[in-house]
Every structure is written in structure tokens, then in C-alpha cells.
Amino acid sequence: MRKKIVAGNWKMNTQLSEGIELAQTLNKKLDNSENEEVKVVIAPPFTHLASIKNVIDSKKITLAAQNCATHEKGAYTGEISATMLKNIGVDTVILGHSERRSYYYDTSETLSLKVAQVLANKQEVIFCIGEVLKEREAEKHFEVVKKQLSEVVFKLSEAEFENIILAYEPVWAIGTGKTASPEQAQEIHAYIRGLVAENYSNEIAENTSILYGGSCNPGNAKELFSNKDVDGGLIGGASLKADDFKAIINSF
Ligand code: PGA
């Protein structure tokens, strides 16, 4: 049975002391029974990961990075490898976020290299896909997500794909206050699950968690998560307030 997951993408927010405090507060607010039902993930900036690892209970909160390098080590100034993340106890990496794709030129080629690095270290990937407003208006959203999946994660073997969590994030809903309607989310999540079944098997499709992201908040999470194919959320802005994030977790 697939996992329900609520993941907080902190993006480039919080100074170290604020990040530690946020993680500690969240850790206090969660109890183990909640974690049995919903897997809680937080993705702070790179500079915070090692310190935050020491203040959270890994049975309650899984730590994730927001990106990683295309290579394992060497002359790649400014980059952080999946191996380095593994070494400090980070077992999950978000890849393919639309901000990385649009501002930092992540392409299917670079993302394939990054996914390979993460899998080589036996870590999990939260792989983000989603269309921009123009594509949605032109009704190309199905085509866009199919291409994004086919060019990267659908190239993996069955065993490799089992380490992939998908996150559908319509770019027009990220940080804009506009959310996909529950019907829009369910429609495309069901389509994505169908693609997984086509590429692998019904069993793998049933076991794949597909998260929704884009202006998800305590007010709309319940309605979004009540859809059969929406297995949780990738939360940006609302993950920076412990109470809001906890309320989203409790929406299941
Ligand atoms: P948002 O961001 O919740 O602030 O819209 C979501 C994301 O980018 O993961």
C-alpha cells in the first residue's frame, strides 16, 4: 500500500537558528502515531541539514535536500553531491522542481544524471513535474507531464522506480495563491498513475505516492487530499509555519 506523505519544501528561507527552531517545534508537535499514518518530510536549505538532523527524531520527520549535483565528486564548484547528503544522513532528495527547471536550467538530461546519483546512494527521489499556465490553457498539461516523466523516471528499471515519489505541481499554482481544484488535481493524478501502470505495472502504480503541490494550505488540504489519487502534498509557503504545516498533516 502506498504511503501518504506531506513534505515541506522550505526553499531559500530561514536563517540557521530559525530553521532549527522550526524543525524543533515541528518535532515537538508530532507524535509517533501520526507518523505511522502520514510520512512527514522537511527539506531545509543545504546549510541547515546537518544541524537539523541532530534536533529531530528520524522516526517522526524525514530530512530531504532540495537538489543535488549531477556527479559524485570532483571539480564542480558550488555543487553538493548525493553522496555528501547520504553521508550526513539525508535519504531523500527533491529533484525537478519547477524553480530549478526554470531558473537553474535543470533539463531532463541533467535530471537523469541527478536521479542516478540519488539512486546509487540508495536514497529516495521526490520527482516534480507540472505544466506552466500557457500549457494548461492550451490543454497540453497531460502531454507535458507525460514528457517530463518519460524523459527521466520512466527510463528507470522497476526496482529503481520503487524509490521514486512523484509530485505534480502545476507551475501556475506555485506561490501564487491559485490552487488546482480538487477535480483538476484528481484528474491529472489519475492520469499520472495510469502512465505508471502502462510503463511498469498496476501493482507499481498502486504503490506509487503522487503528491500535489502548489498553494496547498490548511484551508484547502483536506479537499485536495480526499481525492483517491492524491497521496499528500509538497508544501512551500505553508511549511514555514509549524502550526500550518501540522494542520496540513492532520488534514488526512
Ligand atoms: P507553495 O510551493 O506551496 O508555496 O505554492 C509549493 C512548491 O513549490 O513546492
Side-chain angles (χ1 to χ4, degrees):
M1 203 39 208
R2 61 185 177 259
K3 282 190 208 114
K4 292 181 171 129
I5 301 169
V6 175
N9 173 11
W10 292 9
K11 308 191 180 181
M12 197 174 73
N13 290 299
T14 71
Q15 297 303 321
L16 179 60
S17 58
E18 297 163 338
I20 290 175
E21 199 184 324
L22 176 57
Q24 275 172 325
T25 308
L26 187 66
N27 194 64
K28 240 184 260 155
K29 284 179 187 286
L30 295 170
D31 61 44
N32 284 326
S33 62
E34 277 160 345
N35 191 49
E36 273 164 30
E37 278 178 45
V38 182
K39 177 170 165 173
V40 176
V41 181
I42 57 170
F46 282 133
T47 48
H48 301 15
L49 291 169
S51 309
I52 288 182
K53 181 79 195 168
N54 291 327
V55 300
I56 56 172
D57 177 349
S58 59
K59 289 199 252 9
K60 292 186 196 173
I61 302 176
T62 299
L63 201 53
Q66 300 171 17
N67 182 36
C68 74
T70 48
H71 292 77
E72 188 191 343
K73 63 178 176 182
Y76 301 101
T77 303
E79 292 296 290
I80 308 279
S81 71
T83 316
M84 291 169 175
L85 295 167
K86 180 77 185 181
N87 189 251
I88 58 163
V90 175
D91 289 324
T92 305
V93 183
I94 299 174
L95 290 175
H97 190 281
S98 64
E99 287 150 20
R100 300 277 339 156
R101 291 177 190 262
S102 65
Y103 308 147
Y104 302 103
Y105 315 108
D106 263 341
T107 62
S108 290
E109 289 71 38
T110 57
L111 288 170
S112 296
L113 294 171
K114 292 179 181 193
V115 168
Q117 288 296 321
V118 174
L119 297 182
N121 283 286
K122 304 209 177 322
Q123 295 155 304
E124 251 179 355
V125 177
I126 299 179
F127 188 71
C128 307
I129 51 174
E131 80 286 355
V132 298
L133 184 59
K134 248 195 185 157
E135 293 162 337
R136 167 65 65 163
E137 285 171 349
E139 292 181 14
K140 292 211 161 115
H141 42 295
F142 295 116
E143 212 178 291
V144 170
V145 298
K146 184 176 185 178
K147 185 166 186 283
Q148 289 171 331
L149 291 165
S150 306
E151 289 179 349
V152 185
V153 289
F154 285 170
K155 291 193 170 162
L156 301 172
S157 69
E158 273 189 23
E160 287 169 330
F161 189 80
E162 283 171 9
N163 300 299
I164 307 292
I165 295 158
L166 298 177
Y168 168 67
E169 298 204 303
V171 181
W172 47 272
I174 296 177
T176 58
K178 278 189 208 156
T179 323
S181 68
E183 295 74 26
Q184 284 174 321
Q186 170 55 28
E187 182 188 38
I188 196 149
H189 279 231
Y191 172 74
I192 293 166
R193 198 176 307 286
L195 292 177
V196 177
E198 241 172 63
N199 279 273
Y200 297 100
S201 66
N202 281 334
E203 194 192 340
I204 290 180
E206 282 307 311
N207 286 332
T208 302
S209 300
I210 308 176
L211 316 183
Y212 168 81
S215 296
C216 189
N217 60 45
N220 59 27
K222 198 169 190 154
E223 232 192 329
L224 285 162
F225 296 174
S226 63
N227 290 290
K228 160 170 159 297
D229 289 297
V230 179
D231 306 310
L234 182 54
I235 320 298
S239 71
L240 295 170
K241 290 198 189 112
D243 283 335
D244 285 357
F245 193 55
K246 173 81 169 24
I248 294 172
I249 296 163
N250 288 352
S251 302
F252 274 111

Short mmCIF file of all heavy atoms in Angstrom, two decimals, residues 62-127:
data_model
loop_
_atom_site.label_atom_id
_atom_site.label_comp_id
_atom_site.label_asym_id
_atom_site.label_seq_id
_atom_site.Cartn_x
_atom_site.Cartn_y
_atom_site.Cartn_z
N THR A 62 11.38 12.92 8.29
CA THR A 62 12.42 12.54 7.33
C THR A 62 13.02 13.81 6.74
O THR A 62 12.29 14.72 6.35
CB THR A 62 11.80 11.69 6.19
OG1 THR A 62 11.24 10.52 6.79
CG2 THR A 62 12.81 11.29 5.15
N LEU A 63 14.34 13.83 6.68
CA LEU A 63 15.02 15.03 6.18
C LEU A 63 15.31 14.87 4.68
O LEU A 63 15.74 13.80 4.23
CB LEU A 63 16.32 15.16 6.96
CG LEU A 63 17.00 16.51 7.03
CD1 LEU A 63 16.05 17.59 7.51
CD2 LEU A 63 18.22 16.42 7.95
N ALA A 64 15.06 15.93 3.94
CA ALA A 64 15.31 15.88 2.48
C ALA A 64 16.12 17.08 2.06
O ALA A 64 16.12 18.13 2.71
CB ALA A 64 13.97 15.86 1.73
N ALA A 65 16.82 16.94 0.92
CA ALA A 65 17.51 18.07 0.30
C ALA A 65 16.66 18.55 -0.87
O ALA A 65 15.80 17.82 -1.37
CB ALA A 65 18.89 17.64 -0.17
N GLN A 66 16.93 19.78 -1.31
CA GLN A 66 16.11 20.38 -2.38
C GLN A 66 16.71 20.17 -3.77
O GLN A 66 16.10 20.55 -4.78
CB GLN A 66 15.95 21.88 -2.13
CG GLN A 66 15.27 22.20 -0.81
CD GLN A 66 15.32 23.69 -0.51
OE1 GLN A 66 15.56 24.51 -1.38
NE2 GLN A 66 15.08 24.05 0.74
N ASN A 67 17.89 19.58 -3.83
CA ASN A 67 18.60 19.43 -5.10
C ASN A 67 19.86 18.61 -4.82
O ASN A 67 20.22 18.40 -3.66
CB ASN A 67 18.98 20.82 -5.63
CG ASN A 67 19.69 20.78 -6.97
OD1 ASN A 67 19.38 19.97 -7.84
ND2 ASN A 67 20.66 21.67 -7.14
N CYS A 68 20.53 18.15 -5.86
CA CYS A 68 21.87 17.59 -5.69
C CYS A 68 22.63 17.72 -7.01
O CYS A 68 22.05 18.10 -8.04
CB CYS A 68 21.82 16.13 -5.23
SG CYS A 68 21.33 14.97 -6.51
N ALA A 69 23.91 17.36 -6.96
CA ALA A 69 24.76 17.52 -8.15
C ALA A 69 24.54 16.38 -9.15
O ALA A 69 24.00 15.32 -8.82
CB ALA A 69 26.22 17.53 -7.71
N THR A 70 25.00 16.60 -10.37
CA THR A 70 24.91 15.57 -11.42
C THR A 70 26.03 14.53 -11.28
O THR A 70 25.99 13.50 -11.94
CB THR A 70 25.04 16.22 -12.80
OG1 THR A 70 26.16 17.10 -12.79
CG2 THR A 70 23.79 17.01 -13.17
N HIS A 71 27.05 14.84 -10.48
CA HIS A 71 28.19 13.94 -10.33
C HIS A 71 28.45 13.63 -8.87
O HIS A 71 27.95 14.31 -7.98
CB HIS A 71 29.44 14.56 -10.98
CG HIS A 71 29.33 14.64 -12.46
ND1 HIS A 71 28.58 15.61 -13.09
CD2 HIS A 71 29.84 13.85 -13.44
CE1 HIS A 71 28.64 15.42 -14.39
NE2 HIS A 71 29.39 14.37 -14.65
N GLU A 72 29.32 12.64 -8.65
CA GLU A 72 29.56 12.18 -7.28
C GLU A 72 30.55 13.07 -6.54
O GLU A 72 30.39 13.36 -5.36
CB GLU A 72 30.07 10.74 -7.33
CG GLU A 72 30.17 10.12 -5.97
CD GLU A 72 30.91 8.80 -5.98
OE1 GLU A 72 31.06 8.21 -7.07
OE2 GLU A 72 31.37 8.39 -4.90
N LYS A 73 31.62 13.46 -7.24
CA LYS A 73 32.64 14.31 -6.60
C LYS A 73 33.52 14.90 -7.69
O LYS A 73 33.42 14.51 -8.86
CB LYS A 73 33.48 13.51 -5.62
CG LYS A 73 34.27 12.39 -6.28
CD LYS A 73 35.11 11.67 -5.25
CE LYS A 73 35.79 10.50 -5.93
NZ LYS A 73 36.60 9.69 -5.05
N GLY A 74 34.36 15.85 -7.28
CA GLY A 74 35.34 16.36 -8.24
C GLY A 74 35.24 17.85 -8.44
O GLY A 74 34.72 18.59 -7.58
N ALA A 75 35.70 18.32 -9.56
CA ALA A 75 35.82 19.75 -9.84
C ALA A 75 34.48 20.31 -10.34
O ALA A 75 34.28 20.54 -11.54
CB ALA A 75 36.93 19.98 -10.87
N TYR A 76 33.54 20.46 -9.42
CA TYR A 76 32.21 21.00 -9.74
C TYR A 76 31.89 22.09 -8.71
O TYR A 76 31.08 21.89 -7.80
CB TYR A 76 31.15 19.89 -9.72
CG TYR A 76 31.47 18.79 -10.71
CD1 TYR A 76 32.04 17.60 -10.31
CD2 TYR A 76 31.24 19.00 -12.08
CE1 TYR A 76 32.37 16.62 -11.23
CE2 TYR A 76 31.57 18.02 -13.00
CZ TYR A 76 32.14 16.84 -12.57
OH TYR A 76 32.47 15.88 -13.49
N THR A 77 32.56 23.21 -8.84
CA THR A 77 32.49 24.29 -7.85
C THR A 77 31.05 24.65 -7.49
O THR A 77 30.23 24.88 -8.38
CB THR A 77 33.22 25.53 -8.40
OG1 THR A 77 34.55 25.15 -8.71
CG2 THR A 77 33.23 26.68 -7.39
N GLY A 78 30.80 24.67 -6.20
CA GLY A 78 29.49 25.11 -5.73
C GLY A 78 28.45 24.01 -5.63
O GLY A 78 27.33 24.27 -5.18
N GLU A 79 28.78 22.81 -6.03
CA GLU A 79 27.78 21.74 -6.03
C GLU A 79 27.86 20.86 -4.77
O GLU A 79 28.91 20.77 -4.12
CB GLU A 79 27.96 20.86 -7.27
CG GLU A 79 27.62 21.59 -8.57
CD GLU A 79 26.15 21.99 -8.63
OE1 GLU A 79 25.30 21.11 -8.77
OE2 GLU A 79 25.86 23.19 -8.54
N ILE A 80 26.77 20.19 -4.47
CA ILE A 80 26.68 19.27 -3.33
C ILE A 80 26.20 17.93 -3.88
O ILE A 80 25.16 17.87 -4.54
CB ILE A 80 25.61 19.75 -2.30
CG1 ILE A 80 25.82 21.21 -1.88
CG2 ILE A 80 25.52 18.80 -1.11
CD1 ILE A 80 26.85 21.47 -0.84
N SER A 81 26.96 16.87 -3.62
CA SER A 81 26.58 15.58 -4.22
C SER A 81 25.62 14.79 -3.34
O SER A 81 25.53 15.00 -2.12
CB SER A 81 27.83 14.73 -4.47
OG SER A 81 28.35 14.28 -3.23
N ALA A 82 24.94 13.85 -3.99
CA ALA A 82 24.02 12.96 -3.27
C ALA A 82 24.80 12.15 -2.22
O ALA A 82 24.30 11.88 -1.12
CB ALA A 82 23.32 12.02 -4.25
N THR A 83 26.05 11.81 -2.54
CA THR A 83 26.89 11.06 -1.60
C THR A 83 27.14 11.87 -0.33
O THR A 83 27.12 11.35 0.78
CB THR A 83 28.25 10.72 -2.25
OG1 THR A 83 28.00 10.27 -3.56
CG2 THR A 83 29.02 9.69 -1.48
N MET A 84 27.40 13.17 -0.51
CA MET A 84 27.62 14.04 0.66
C MET A 84 26.37 14.11 1.51
O MET A 84 26.44 14.13 2.74
CB MET A 84 27.99 15.46 0.20
CG MET A 84 29.34 15.57 -0.45
SD MET A 84 29.48 17.20 -1.20
CE MET A 84 31.17 17.11 -1.76
N LEU A 85 25.22 14.15 0.85
CA LEU A 85 23.95 14.20 1.58
C LEU A 85 23.74 12.90 2.35
O LEU A 85 23.36 12.91 3.52
CB LEU A 85 22.79 14.47 0.61
CG LEU A 85 22.85 15.84 -0.07
CD1 LEU A 85 21.87 15.91 -1.24
CD2 LEU A 85 22.56 16.95 0.93
N LYS A 86 24.01 11.80 1.67
CA LYS A 86 23.87 10.48 2.32
C LYS A 86 24.76 10.42 3.56
O LYS A 86 24.36 9.94 4.62
CB LYS A 86 24.29 9.41 1.32
CG LYS A 86 24.21 8.00 1.83
CD LYS A 86 22.77 7.53 1.83
CE LYS A 86 22.63 6.16 2.46
NZ LYS A 86 21.23 5.73 2.43
N ASN A 87 25.96 10.96 3.42
CA ASN A 87 26.93 10.92 4.50
C ASN A 87 26.48 11.65 5.76
O ASN A 87 26.90 11.33 6.87
CB ASN A 87 28.26 11.49 3.97
CG ASN A 87 29.38 11.30 4.94
OD1 ASN A 87 29.85 12.26 5.55
ND2 ASN A 87 29.81 10.07 5.12
N ILE A 88 25.61 12.67 5.59
CA ILE A 88 25.11 13.36 6.80
C ILE A 88 23.70 12.87 7.17
O ILE A 88 22.99 13.51 7.94
CB ILE A 88 25.14 14.91 6.66
CG1 ILE A 88 24.32 15.38 5.45
CG2 ILE A 88 26.57 15.41 6.59
CD1 ILE A 88 23.97 16.87 5.50
N GLY A 89 23.28 11.77 6.56
CA GLY A 89 22.02 11.15 6.97
C GLY A 89 20.79 11.67 6.25
O GLY A 89 19.67 11.56 6.76
N VAL A 90 20.97 12.23 5.06
CA VAL A 90 19.82 12.69 4.27
C VAL A 90 19.49 11.61 3.24
O VAL A 90 20.31 11.28 2.39
CB VAL A 90 20.13 14.04 3.57
CG1 VAL A 90 18.98 14.45 2.65
CG2 VAL A 90 20.39 15.12 4.62
N ASP A 91 18.27 11.07 3.34
CA ASP A 91 17.91 9.93 2.50
C ASP A 91 16.91 10.26 1.40
O ASP A 91 16.44 9.37 0.69
CB ASP A 91 17.33 8.81 3.38
CG ASP A 91 18.44 8.17 4.22
OD1 ASP A 91 19.57 8.06 3.71
OD2 ASP A 91 18.17 7.83 5.38
N THR A 92 16.53 11.52 1.30
CA THR A 92 15.54 11.92 0.29
C THR A 92 16.01 13.19 -0.40
O THR A 92 16.54 14.09 0.26
CB THR A 92 14.17 12.16 0.98
OG1 THR A 92 13.82 10.99 1.72
CG2 THR A 92 13.07 12.47 -0.03
N VAL A 93 15.81 13.26 -1.72
CA VAL A 93 16.21 14.46 -2.46
C VAL A 93 15.06 14.86 -3.40
O VAL A 93 14.53 14.03 -4.13
CB VAL A 93 17.50 14.21 -3.29
CG1 VAL A 93 17.93 15.49 -4.00
CG2 VAL A 93 18.63 13.69 -2.41
N ILE A 94 14.68 16.13 -3.33
CA ILE A 94 13.69 16.67 -4.27
C ILE A 94 14.42 17.00 -5.57
O ILE A 94 15.46 17.67 -5.53
CB ILE A 94 13.03 17.97 -3.70
CG1 ILE A 94 12.31 17.70 -2.38
CG2 ILE A 94 12.09 18.59 -4.72
CD1 ILE A 94 11.76 18.97 -1.69
N LEU A 95 13.90 16.54 -6.67
CA LEU A 95 14.53 16.86 -7.97
C LEU A 95 13.46 17.32 -8.96
O LEU A 95 12.31 16.86 -8.91
CB LEU A 95 15.26 15.64 -8.53
CG LEU A 95 16.54 15.22 -7.78
CD1 LEU A 95 17.10 13.91 -8.38
CD2 LEU A 95 17.62 16.31 -7.83
N GLY A 96 13.87 18.23 -9.84
CA GLY A 96 12.97 18.64 -10.93
C GLY A 96 11.95 19.69 -10.53
O GLY A 96 10.97 19.92 -11.25
N HIS A 97 12.16 20.35 -9.38
CA HIS A 97 11.22 21.41 -9.01
C HIS A 97 11.20 22.46 -10.11
O HIS A 97 12.23 22.77 -10.72
CB HIS A 97 11.64 22.03 -7.67
CG HIS A 97 10.58 22.93 -7.13
ND1 HIS A 97 10.41 24.21 -7.60
CD2 HIS A 97 9.60 22.73 -6.21
CE1 HIS A 97 9.38 24.76 -6.97
NE2 HIS A 97 8.87 23.88 -6.12
N SER A 98 10.05 23.04 -10.34
CA SER A 98 9.91 23.98 -11.48
C SER A 98 10.84 25.19 -11.34
O SER A 98 11.29 25.75 -12.33
CB SER A 98 8.48 24.44 -11.63
OG SER A 98 8.09 25.17 -10.49
N GLU A 99 11.15 25.57 -10.08
CA GLU A 99 12.08 26.70 -9.91
C GLU A 99 13.48 26.30 -10.35
O GLU A 99 14.21 27.10 -10.93
CB GLU A 99 12.06 27.17 -8.45
CG GLU A 99 10.77 27.92 -8.13
CD GLU A 99 10.30 27.83 -6.69
OE1 GLU A 99 11.10 27.50 -5.80
OE2 GLU A 99 9.10 28.08 -6.46
N ARG A 100 13.85 25.06 -10.12
CA ARG A 100 15.16 24.57 -10.59
C ARG A 100 15.15 24.45 -12.11
O ARG A 100 16.12 24.74 -12.78
CB ARG A 100 15.48 23.20 -9.98
CG ARG A 100 15.56 23.14 -8.48
CD ARG A 100 16.84 23.55 -7.85
NE ARG A 100 18.01 23.53 -8.67
CZ ARG A 100 19.10 24.28 -8.42
NH1 ARG A 100 19.13 25.10 -7.39
NH2 ARG A 100 20.13 24.22 -9.20
N ARG A 101 14.03 23.99 -12.65
CA ARG A 101 13.96 23.83 -14.11
C ARG A 101 14.03 25.20 -14.80
O ARG A 101 14.71 25.36 -15.79
CB ARG A 101 12.65 23.14 -14.52
CG ARG A 101 12.56 21.66 -14.14
CD ARG A 101 11.19 21.12 -14.56
NE ARG A 101 10.89 19.80 -14.04
CZ ARG A 101 11.03 18.66 -14.73
NH1 ARG A 101 11.47 18.68 -15.96
NH2 ARG A 101 10.72 17.50 -14.18
N SER A 102 13.31 26.19 -14.23
CA SER A 102 13.25 27.45 -14.97
C SER A 102 14.39 28.42 -14.63
O SER A 102 14.89 29.09 -15.51
CB SER A 102 11.89 28.13 -14.81
OG SER A 102 11.70 28.49 -13.47
N TYR A 103 14.83 28.49 -13.37
CA TYR A 103 15.89 29.46 -13.04
C TYR A 103 17.30 28.87 -13.13
O TYR A 103 18.25 29.60 -13.28
CB TYR A 103 15.73 30.02 -11.62
CG TYR A 103 14.38 30.59 -11.27
CD1 TYR A 103 13.90 30.49 -9.96
CD2 TYR A 103 13.59 31.25 -12.22
CE1 TYR A 103 12.66 31.01 -9.62
CE2 TYR A 103 12.35 31.76 -11.86
CZ TYR A 103 11.90 31.64 -10.57
OH TYR A 103 10.68 32.15 -10.22
N TYR A 104 17.40 27.55 -12.94
CA TYR A 104 18.75 26.96 -12.88
C TYR A 104 18.96 25.89 -13.94
O TYR A 104 19.84 25.04 -13.81
CB TYR A 104 19.02 26.43 -11.45
CG TYR A 104 18.89 27.55 -10.45
CD1 TYR A 104 17.76 27.67 -9.66
CD2 TYR A 104 19.86 28.56 -10.38
CE1 TYR A 104 17.60 28.74 -8.79
CE2 TYR A 104 19.70 29.63 -9.52
CZ TYR A 104 18.57 29.73 -8.73
OH TYR A 104 18.40 30.79 -7.89
N TYR A 105 18.11 25.93 -14.95
CA TYR A 105 18.31 25.14 -16.17
C TYR A 105 18.39 23.64 -15.96
O TYR A 105 19.14 22.96 -16.66
CB TYR A 105 19.54 25.67 -16.95
CG TYR A 105 19.54 27.18 -17.02
CD1 TYR A 105 20.44 27.94 -16.27
CD2 TYR A 105 18.57 27.85 -17.76
CE1 TYR A 105 20.39 29.33 -16.28
CE2 TYR A 105 18.51 29.24 -17.78
CZ TYR A 105 19.41 29.97 -17.02
OH TYR A 105 19.35 31.33 -17.03
N ASP A 106 17.68 23.11 -15.00
CA ASP A 106 17.58 21.65 -14.92
C ASP A 106 16.81 21.17 -16.14
O ASP A 106 15.73 21.69 -16.44
CB ASP A 106 16.82 21.23 -13.64
CG ASP A 106 17.74 20.85 -12.50
OD1 ASP A 106 18.92 20.57 -12.77
OD2 ASP A 106 17.27 20.81 -11.35
N THR A 107 17.37 20.20 -16.84
CA THR A 107 16.70 19.63 -18.01
C THR A 107 16.50 18.14 -17.75
O THR A 107 17.03 17.60 -16.77
CB THR A 107 17.60 19.77 -19.25
OG1 THR A 107 18.81 19.03 -18.99
CG2 THR A 107 17.95 21.22 -19.55
N SER A 108 15.83 17.47 -18.65
CA SER A 108 15.65 16.03 -18.48
C SER A 108 17.01 15.33 -18.45
O SER A 108 17.19 14.34 -17.74
CB SER A 108 14.78 15.46 -19.60
OG SER A 108 13.46 15.90 -19.42
N GLU A 109 17.97 15.87 -19.20
CA GLU A 109 19.31 15.25 -19.23
C GLU A 109 19.99 15.39 -17.87
O GLU A 109 20.50 14.42 -17.31
CB GLU A 109 20.20 15.88 -20.31
CG GLU A 109 19.82 15.54 -21.75
CD GLU A 109 18.53 16.20 -22.21
OE1 GLU A 109 18.30 17.38 -21.83
OE2 GLU A 109 17.75 15.55 -22.91
N THR A 110 20.02 16.62 -17.33
CA THR A 110 20.70 16.80 -16.04
C THR A 110 19.92 16.08 -14.93
O THR A 110 20.50 15.49 -14.03
CB THR A 110 20.91 18.28 -15.66
OG1 THR A 110 19.63 18.94 -15.65
CG2 THR A 110 21.82 19.00 -16.64
N LEU A 111 18.60 16.11 -15.04
CA LEU A 111 17.80 15.44 -14.01
C LEU A 111 18.02 13.93 -14.02
O LEU A 111 18.03 13.29 -12.96
CB LEU A 111 16.31 15.77 -14.18
CG LEU A 111 15.95 17.21 -13.79
CD1 LEU A 111 14.53 17.55 -14.21
CD2 LEU A 111 16.13 17.41 -12.28
N SER A 112 18.24 13.36 -15.20
CA SER A 112 18.51 11.91 -15.26
C SER A 112 19.81 11.59 -14.54
O SER A 112 19.91 10.59 -13.82
CB SER A 112 18.61 11.45 -16.72
OG SER A 112 17.37 11.62 -17.34
N LEU A 113 20.81 12.46 -14.70
CA LEU A 113 22.09 12.24 -14.01
C LEU A 113 21.91 12.37 -12.49
O LEU A 113 22.46 11.59 -11.71
CB LEU A 113 23.14 13.26 -14.49
CG LEU A 113 23.59 13.16 -15.95
CD1 LEU A 113 24.46 14.35 -16.33
CD2 LEU A 113 24.35 11.85 -16.17
N LYS A 114 21.12 13.37 -12.08
CA LYS A 114 20.90 13.58 -10.65
C LYS A 114 20.13 12.40 -10.04
O LYS A 114 20.47 11.91 -8.96
CB LYS A 114 20.14 14.89 -10.42
CG LYS A 114 20.96 16.12 -10.77
CD LYS A 114 20.18 17.42 -10.58
CE LYS A 114 21.06 18.60 -10.96
NZ LYS A 114 20.49 19.89 -10.52
N VAL A 115 19.09 11.95 -10.74
CA VAL A 115 18.32 10.81 -10.25
C VAL A 115 19.24 9.60 -10.09
O VAL A 115 19.20 8.89 -9.08
CB VAL A 115 17.13 10.48 -11.20
CG1 VAL A 115 16.51 9.13 -10.85
CG2 VAL A 115 16.07 11.57 -11.14
N ALA A 116 20.12 9.39 -11.06
CA ALA A 116 21.05 8.24 -11.00
C ALA A 116 21.95 8.35 -9.78
O ALA A 116 22.22 7.36 -9.09
CB ALA A 116 21.87 8.17 -12.28
N GLN A 117 22.41 9.57 -9.47
CA GLN A 117 23.26 9.77 -8.28
C GLN A 117 22.50 9.42 -7.00
O GLN A 117 23.04 8.76 -6.12
CB GLN A 117 23.72 11.24 -8.21
CG GLN A 117 24.77 11.62 -9.25
CD GLN A 117 26.07 10.84 -9.05
OE1 GLN A 117 26.51 10.61 -7.94
NE2 GLN A 117 26.66 10.41 -10.15
N VAL A 118 21.28 9.88 -6.91
CA VAL A 118 20.47 9.63 -5.71
C VAL A 118 20.22 8.13 -5.55
O VAL A 118 20.40 7.57 -4.46
CB VAL A 118 19.13 10.41 -5.79
CG1 VAL A 118 18.22 10.05 -4.63
CG2 VAL A 118 19.40 11.92 -5.78
N LEU A 119 19.86 7.48 -6.64
CA LEU A 119 19.57 6.04 -6.55
C LEU A 119 20.83 5.23 -6.24
O LEU A 119 20.76 4.23 -5.53
CB LEU A 119 18.88 5.55 -7.83
CG LEU A 119 17.51 6.19 -8.11
CD1 LEU A 119 16.89 5.60 -9.36
CD2 LEU A 119 16.56 6.05 -6.93
N ALA A 120 21.96 5.70 -6.75
CA ALA A 120 23.22 4.99 -6.49
C ALA A 120 23.54 5.00 -4.99
O ALA A 120 24.23 4.12 -4.49
CB ALA A 120 24.36 5.63 -7.27
N ASN A 121 23.03 6.01 -4.30
CA ASN A 121 23.26 6.11 -2.85
C ASN A 121 22.12 5.53 -2.02
O ASN A 121 22.04 5.77 -0.83
CB ASN A 121 23.48 7.58 -2.47
CG ASN A 121 24.87 8.04 -2.85
OD1 ASN A 121 25.83 7.68 -2.20
ND2 ASN A 121 24.97 8.79 -3.93
N LYS A 122 21.22 4.81 -2.71
CA LYS A 122 20.06 4.19 -2.05
C LYS A 122 19.21 5.22 -1.31
O LYS A 122 18.73 4.98 -0.19
CB LYS A 122 20.49 3.07 -1.11
CG LYS A 122 21.33 2.00 -1.80
CD LYS A 122 21.16 0.66 -1.16
CE LYS A 122 21.92 -0.45 -1.86
NZ LYS A 122 21.96 -0.40 -3.31
N GLN A 123 19.06 6.37 -1.93
CA GLN A 123 18.18 7.40 -1.38
C GLN A 123 16.90 7.43 -2.23
O GLN A 123 16.85 6.82 -3.30
CB GLN A 123 18.87 8.77 -1.45
CG GLN A 123 20.10 8.88 -0.56
CD GLN A 123 21.08 9.93 -1.07
OE1 GLN A 123 21.53 9.88 -2.22
NE2 GLN A 123 21.44 10.87 -0.22
N GLU A 124 15.92 8.19 -1.75
CA GLU A 124 14.65 8.33 -2.46
C GLU A 124 14.60 9.67 -3.18
O GLU A 124 15.17 10.64 -2.71
CB GLU A 124 13.54 8.39 -1.40
CG GLU A 124 12.69 7.18 -1.33
CD GLU A 124 11.63 7.32 -0.25
OE1 GLU A 124 11.60 8.31 0.53
OE2 GLU A 124 10.84 6.41 -0.18
N VAL A 125 13.83 9.72 -4.26
CA VAL A 125 13.66 10.97 -5.01
C VAL A 125 12.21 11.42 -4.90
O VAL A 125 11.30 10.60 -5.03
CB VAL A 125 13.97 10.75 -6.51
CG1 VAL A 125 13.73 12.03 -7.31
CG2 VAL A 125 15.39 10.25 -6.73
N ILE A 126 12.01 12.71 -4.65
CA ILE A 126 10.68 13.29 -4.87
C ILE A 126 10.80 14.02 -6.20
O ILE A 126 11.49 15.05 -6.28
CB ILE A 126 10.27 14.26 -3.73
CG1 ILE A 126 10.21 13.53 -2.39
CG2 ILE A 126 8.93 14.92 -4.06
CD1 ILE A 126 9.84 14.41 -1.19
N PHE A 127 10.22 13.46 -7.24
CA PHE A 127 10.42 13.99 -8.58
C PHE A 127 9.23 14.85 -8.99
O PHE A 127 8.09 14.39 -9.05
CB PHE A 127 10.58 12.82 -9.57
CG PHE A 127 10.98 13.27 -10.94
CD1 PHE A 127 12.26 13.76 -11.17
CD2 PHE A 127 10.08 13.22 -11.99
CE1 PHE A 127 12.63 14.21 -12.44
CE2 PHE A 127 10.45 13.66 -13.26
CZ PHE A 127 11.73 14.14 -13.48
#
